Amino acid sequence: QVQLKESGGGLVQPGGSLRLSCTASGLTSDYYATAWFRQDPGKAREGVSCIMSSDGSTYYADSVKGRFTISRDNAKNTVFLQMNRLKPEDSAVYYCATVKEEDLIWELRPNEYDHWGQGTQVTVSS
């Protein structure tokens, strides 16, 4: 059974930084995509970034390009999201999700992903 565990959320001032981690267990595929999504109450879940385990290809939403960086440690089955220059509008619950690369078509569409973590809250406020 695939399980994902996020960590690293918290409260940060505008302009600050946070690093989120997502550690997976129970993976059975050699190659899988891992993505970060975020969701505010009353809003749709939004794709933030995605990374492939096969070749390290990365994808970003326009709203975070140049500020967020996704990376992975394949040996530890962990994906990181470094978030810099945070803005109040980045506040949300952040979820990581994973799917076999062979089954993925749209990298930042939530419905593409099979397994989800519980989420971690990120609040950007002064």
Side-chain angles (χ1 to χ4, degrees), residues 59-110:
Y59 304 85
Y60 295 93
D62 288 342
S63 58
V64 306
K65 280 181 182 176
R67 300 188 298 123
F68 291 11
T69 303
I70 193 170
S71 61
R72 68 179 305 124
D73 183 338
N74 283 346
K76 296 181 179 180
N77 282 338
T78 299
V79 170
F80 305 98
L81 185 68
Q82 178 67 43
M83 305 186 294
N84 298 328
R85 291 186 281 140
L86 282 160
K87 305 175 182 179
E89 52 263 43
D90 294 318
S91 298
V93 177
Y94 281 70
Y95 300 90
C96 68
T98 190
V99 66
K100 294 179 182 179
E101 284 190 23
E102 62 194 48
D103 294 334
L104 183 66
I105 299 176
W106 297 103
E107 292 83 6
L108 296 181
R109 189 167 72 180

Side-chain angles (χ1 to χ4, degrees), residues 30 45 54 76 111:
D30 288 336
R45 191 163 291 190
S54 57
K76 296 181 179 180
N111 290 346

Side-chain angles (χ1 to χ4, degrees), residues 3-126:
Q3 292 187 327
L4 302 175
K5 176 65 175 176
E6 303 99 335
S7 62
L11 173 64
V12 63
Q13 292 187 341
S17 299
L18 282 175
R19 189 175 84 152
L20 305 183
S21 299
C22 171
T23 300
S25 60
L27 295 170
T28 58
S29 174
D30 288 336
Y31 298 119
Y32 48 92
T34 304
W36 287 95
F37 295 85
R38 63 188 182 187
Q39 189 169 23
D40 244 351
K43 294 185 179 180
R45 191 163 291 190
E46 175 191 16
V48 174
S49 185
C50 172
I51 188 166
M52 305 298 166
S53 69
S54 57
D55 63 2
S57 297
T58 57
Y59 304 85
Y60 295 93
D62 288 342
S63 58
V64 306
K65 280 181 182 176
R67 300 188 298 123
F68 291 11
T69 303
I70 193 170
S71 61
R72 68 179 305 124
D73 183 338
N74 283 346
K76 296 181 179 180
N77 282 338
T78 299
V79 170
F80 305 98
L81 185 68
Q82 178 67 43
M83 305 186 294
N84 298 328
R85 291 186 281 140
L86 282 160
K87 305 175 182 179
E89 52 263 43
D90 294 318
S91 298
V93 177
Y94 281 70
Y95 300 90
C96 68
T98 190
V99 66
K100 294 179 182 179
E101 284 190 23
E102 62 194 48
D103 294 334
L104 183 66
I105 299 176
W106 297 103
E107 292 83 6
L108 296 181
R109 189 167 72 180
N111 290 346
E112 297 278 337
Y113 289 80
D114 298 325
H115 307 287
W116 291 81
Q118 294 297 310
T120 184
Q121 178 71 48
V122 171
T123 303
V124 185
S125 175
S126 55

